[in-house]
Amino acid sequence: MLDLINLNPAVEVALLGAALAVLPAAWVLRRGRQQGLQGWPAWQRVLTVATLFLTLDLVVFGAFTRLTDSGLGCPDWPGCYGELSPFQAHGDISAAQAALPGGPVTHGKAWIEMLHRYLATGVGALITALMLLAWRMRHAGGLSPWWATATFVWVCAQGAFGALTVTLKLQPIIVTGHLLGAVLGVAMLTAQVRVLSPRLRWPGHAAEGAARGAADTLDAAWAGAGLRRVGLAVLLLLVVQIASGAWVSTNYAVLACSEFPTCQGQWWPDTDFRAGFHLLRPLGGDSEAGYLTLAGLTAIHLAHRCLALVVALALATYAWRLGRWQVGVDLGGDLGGARPWRREARVLVGLLLWQLASGLSNVVLGWPLVAALAHTLGAALLVAWLVRLWVLPRGAIGHLAHAGQQVHPGHAKPARHQGHHPGAAHPTAS
């Protein structure tokens, strides 16, 4: 009998992941030297950006693995039949494929699953390196090493979920948790990049002092703006919607409704929410050792649709308010009515339209792979963009803290702005 957890190739898989991590790290090192990066904070930022980019790739490739039914392409973990690669496990894979040609184990699915594991191990190696460097350079002006340590704990937890995905045979609650964990990783890395990012330079200021003063004003206004806190609420609502979408995908409930806006030719067909949202059950099963019915699948699908309407309205409203958010600046220029988040609002609207188009394509086009992958990527990018808007750059945090306000990364509640420039900042929405 095959051992579902076989650690024999664990060291080899880890070494391969470390070798893969060398490639993006070497590219970042080369580009950084060409651009003349100076100081550990700048290097920490570009390494974190590279890790974030690969994490987004990993999220999409994980969706590709799930959507091609390759999650059990190698039925043990972390290797494939106790080997490093499907090459070495060729005989076992061939035997399984011959016994069940349309089953979960084929040569193609085995390679997809192992490539996903290699990429995940490479991301884990980069995160481990970032943590070790952060502790080594902890007095060099970068982020607190506890940021990188928290990310390391996250990637270890993701590895455990990957193992459970295999050992529990794609149990929906585990696969859903694995996807939500991936989104959490994107959010954590985005927050770190944002804190390390340079402060916003206000356009139209030739003088350095005026530009700094305008940035101080904007930072103080946005840190205490109610709209910023609304953005956090929208982000949390989006995460709930992503969980709903993961539940649809992991239960293969997309095709329960093959038209829009109706479902099965009705506005509200038969549903079974109790069966559909019973969490602790096997893939395709219900709570009573039977099969999940069409009514249960329909309930899962319709719940996602209804929540999608709420989230879309929330995102559209937030984007509209964001584009119109104003800050008063008294610097002797024409910036009194400046609206600094217009570009961010446009990007948010673009990502929302991306999600709506890809989501509808999944329904009316019969769940095409490209549309499903685009939907997963869009969800991750929406999370990253909302986190970017909520978290303050470190320069802004330092300025506000220097002004006597209690400010923490990603969460600022200044009671009163005491900037070093004339004029007060009052966030307004029109």
Side-chain angles (χ1 to χ4, degrees):
M1 181 178 178
L2 178 68
D3 291 330
L4 296 181
I5 298 292
N6 188 339
L7 297 179
N8 289 334
V11 174
E12 293 174 288
V13 173
L15 290 174
L16 179 57
L20 291 174
V22 168
L23 297 176
W27 182 84
V28 168
L29 182 64
R30 178 173 175 271
R31 290 286 296 172
R33 286 178 172 173
Q34 289 177 346
Q35 295 174 5
L37 288 183
Q38 299 290 330
W40 166 239
W43 284 105
Q44 188 179 28
R45 181 177 183 274
V46 296
L47 285 169
T48 307
V49 168
T51 305
L52 173 60
F53 177 79
L54 290 176
T55 302
L56 287 168
D57 291 339
L58 180 59
V59 170
V60 176
F61 201 87
F64 178 75
T65 302
R66 182 178 67 257
L67 294 167
T68 55
D69 295 322
S70 302
L72 297 178
C74 288
D76 57 329
W77 186 92
C80 193
Y81 287 96
E83 303 290 349
L84 173 63
S85 76
F87 278 134
Q88 298 161 299
H90 185 276
D92 291 307
I93 297 171
S94 296
Q97 186 172 342
L100 194 61
V105 179
T106 67
H107 288 284
K109 291 178 180 179
W111 271 111
I112 291 173
E113 171 63 6
M114 287 309 297
L115 287 174
H116 177 234
R117 294 182 191 178
Y118 298 152
L119 179 57
T121 309
V123 170
L126 280 174
I127 288 172
T128 303
L130 274 171
M131 179 187 69
L132 296 175
L133 285 170
W135 281 105
R136 179 181 176 84
M137 307 295 290
R138 60 186 179 277
H139 301 303
L143 284 179
S144 166
W146 290 110
W147 285 76
T149 303
T151 313
F152 174 77
V153 172
W154 162 79
V155 82
C156 291
Q158 278 295 90
F161 266 100
L164 289 172
T165 297
V166 174
T167 58
L168 296 180
K169 306 296 183 183
L170 306 181
Q171 186 173 333
I173 189 64
I174 297 299
V175 180
T176 298
H178 198 38
L179 176 58
L180 287 176
V183 171
L184 174 62
V186 169
M188 292 174 69
L189 289 166
T190 301
Q192 292 170 60
V193 171
R194 179 61 171 162
V195 172
L196 287 166
S197 296
R199 296 173 64 189
L200 180 69
R201 294 296 300 272
W202 203 295
H205 281 279
E208 179 67 23
R212 187 181 300 113
D216 291 345
T217 301
L218 175 61
D219 293 338
W222 182 244
L227 187 60
R228 178 168 168 263
R229 292 187 287 274
V230 169
L232 178 60
V234 173
L235 172 61
L236 295 176
L237 183 61
L238 174 64
V239 170
V240 174
Q241 172 67 352
I242 291 173
S244 169
W247 195 245
V248 171
S249 180
T250 56
N251 284 281
Y252 298 90
V254 173
L255 298 181
C257 301
S258 57
E259 70 272 1
F260 183 86
T262 59
C263 175
Q264 301 169 19
Q266 305 175 58
W267 285 106
W268 196 264
D270 291 337
T271 56
D272 187 347
F273 283 89
R274 182 174 179 273
F277 288 91
H278 185 83
L279 301 182
L280 299 179
R281 56 177 174 76
L283 176 63
D286 61 11
S287 59
E288 300 175 354
Y291 292 103
L292 187 60
T293 63
L294 177 60
L297 294 172
T298 303
I300 295 172
H301 186 114
L302 288 179
H304 183 63
R305 278 196 189 184
C306 293
L307 187 56
L309 177 61
V310 174
V311 174
L313 289 174
L315 283 169
T317 303
Y318 181 63
W320 177 74
R321 292 286 304 277
L322 192 68
R324 296 178 63 83
W325 186 79
Q326 297 181 13
V327 58
V329 180
D330 183 13
L331 293 175
D334 58 353
L335 298 177
R339 294 176 178 176
W341 298 139
R342 279 181 172 176
R343 181 181 70 90
E344 282 73 8
R346 293 190 188 106
V347 172
L348 193 58
V349 170
L351 289 173
L352 174 59
L353 293 176
W354 171 297
Q355 280 302 87
L356 292 175
S358 58
L360 289 175
S361 297
N362 282 326
V363 174
V364 300
L365 299 180
W367 207 10
L369 182 60
V370 172
L373 295 178
H375 203 53
T376 300
L377 176 61
L381 291 176
L382 272 172
V383 168
W385 201 249
L386 288 172
V387 169
R388 179 185 178 277
L389 285 167
W390 179 57
V391 175
L392 295 171
R394 186 169 58 172
I397 298 166
H399 164 70
L400 295 172
H402 181 70
Q405 299 157 359
Q406 298 298 319
V407 181
H408 303 282
H411 184 68
K413 293 184 177 180
R416 184 167 57 94
H417 177 57
Q418 301 174 5
H420 303 287
H421 57 276
H426 301 285
T428 60
S430 59

